[in-house]
Amino acid sequence: MSISESGISFPEELEFEYGILNMKAWWSSSGKSRSYHVSREFTPAGSARASNIPFINAKFKMLVWHDGSGFVSAPAVRILSEPYKDVVFLFLTEKGKVDANETLVLSTDNDSAQVIVKGVEGNITGRVYSTLNKARKVRITISAPESTYEIPIAEGDNFEFSYRMLPEENIIIAGGYKVIDPRVIKRKLGKRYVVMGHGEFILKGTLDLPFRRDVSESMGFTVTLEEKDEWGF
């Protein structure tokens, strides 16, 4: 096969179905051993027969912790024909825009911080102004309503931050249906943590206080696909 910016081409026509692949991953412990578990659900939106699969510009979302726990939801194509049966392709589009414009105020009797947050194209950006006496630092994290994990993106006292919520370019990920999982995707993206995609996210600012409970404030922000979802078939 060959891959280009427009999609994937095969030397012959294939039967395939296209839709959304949802995966969740977690670890369980039994005595001294730990096991990695993955649940997968492919929800088809249609099927086709062709020798070309166009790149799918549709919404995706993922959040993966450093150990591979987390979730991935992405547009996907699942091949039905031999010899490629059950090979899946996931499509991560670079298209989208971050909608955010808010200020978080963190304060105690001894420490204060202001976090000014804005969306700039595909990035969530901000500026932190703080006066710290007892607090060690200000932490910035991003999470999603679907997960309890908070992904660290920046920390310090007075600093700027910018985190891209979408890929720098269109990405196609290929793998066997029973093999591909959030841990593999994180590794192939070359990241320790992954949080990206479209939909609702949560940014949190935290005063890191020694010997007492941290002080935090949160805000929601949205990443939207600038154009209508397009399956292309």
Side-chain angles (χ1 to χ4, degrees):
M1 68 177 187
S2 62
I3 297 178
S4 68
E5 292 183 2
S6 60
I8 307 164
S9 296
F10 292 91
E12 58 190 292
E13 286 193 345
L14 300 173
E15 295 281 351
F16 57 86
E17 56 184 0
Y18 53 91
I20 302 294
L21 177 60
N22 292 300
M23 294 183 285
K24 292 183 179 180
W26 66 96
W27 289 87
S28 67
S29 298
S30 177
K32 294 183 179 180
S33 64
R34 297 181 74 219
S35 300
Y36 186 65
H37 306 275
V38 182
S39 67
R40 301 175 182 85
E41 181 181 8
F42 185 88
T43 305
S47 60
R49 180 179 179 86
S51 60
N52 179 69
I53 298 173
F55 189 91
I56 302 172
N57 285 304
K59 297 176 183 177
F60 76 94
K61 191 175 188 181
M62 61 177 69
L63 188 152
V64 186
W65 193 241
H66 63 79
D67 66 357
S69 304
F71 73 91
V72 173
S73 178
V77 167
R78 184 176 184 177
I79 305 299
L80 304 177
S81 301
E82 298 290 354
Y84 313 104
K85 183 176 173 61
D86 282 339
V87 170
V88 294
F89 298 92
L90 275 65
F91 299 83
L92 312 181
T93 180
E94 64 180 356
K95 298 182 183 298
K97 181 179 180 181
V98 176
D99 182 14
N101 187 7
E102 194 167 335
T103 299
L104 301 178
V105 177
L106 312 169
S107 65
T108 68
D109 293 338
N110 301 289
D111 306 278
S112 64
Q114 187 179 58
V115 184
I116 301 172
V117 183
K118 295 183 181 296
V120 179
E121 298 180 346
N123 300 279
I124 184 81
T125 68
R127 185 73 173 89
V128 177
Y129 302 91
S130 67
T131 302
L132 306 182
N133 293 302
K134 294 188 176 181
R136 287 178 287 222
K137 57 190 174 183
V138 179
R139 291 197 310 269
I140 306 296
T141 61
I142 295 177
S143 60
E146 300 93 330
S147 175
T148 59
Y149 290 111
E150 297 178 0
I151 304 300
I153 64 166
E155 62 180 35
D157 46 17
N158 291 281
F159 59 95
E160 295 181 355
F161 64 88
S162 180
Y163 186 88
R164 185 157 180 85
M165 296 299 300
L166 296 163
E168 295 288 347
E169 57 186 347
N170 290 338
I171 294 176
I172 299 174
I173 299 174
Y177 181 77
K178 294 182 179 180
V179 176
I180 197 165
D181 59 45
R183 183 170 54 173
V184 168
I185 292 172
K186 180 186 73 70
R187 187 183 307 130
K188 294 303 181 183
L189 292 175
K191 296 179 179 291
R192 178 169 170 78
Y193 303 92
V194 177
V195 55
M196 64 169 62
H198 306 87
E200 299 295 324
F201 294 91
I202 302 164
L203 183 141
K204 178 188 284 188
T206 301
L207 284 175
D208 184 352
L209 298 167
F211 312 118
R212 57 174 293 189
R213 179 177 294 180
D214 294 341
V215 172
S216 300
E217 292 290 340
S218 301
M219 57 164 279
F221 68 94
T222 306
V223 184
T224 57
L225 190 64
E226 293 179 300
E227 56 189 53
K228 183 180 179 181
D229 291 5
E230 183 60 64
W231 290 104
F233 298 104

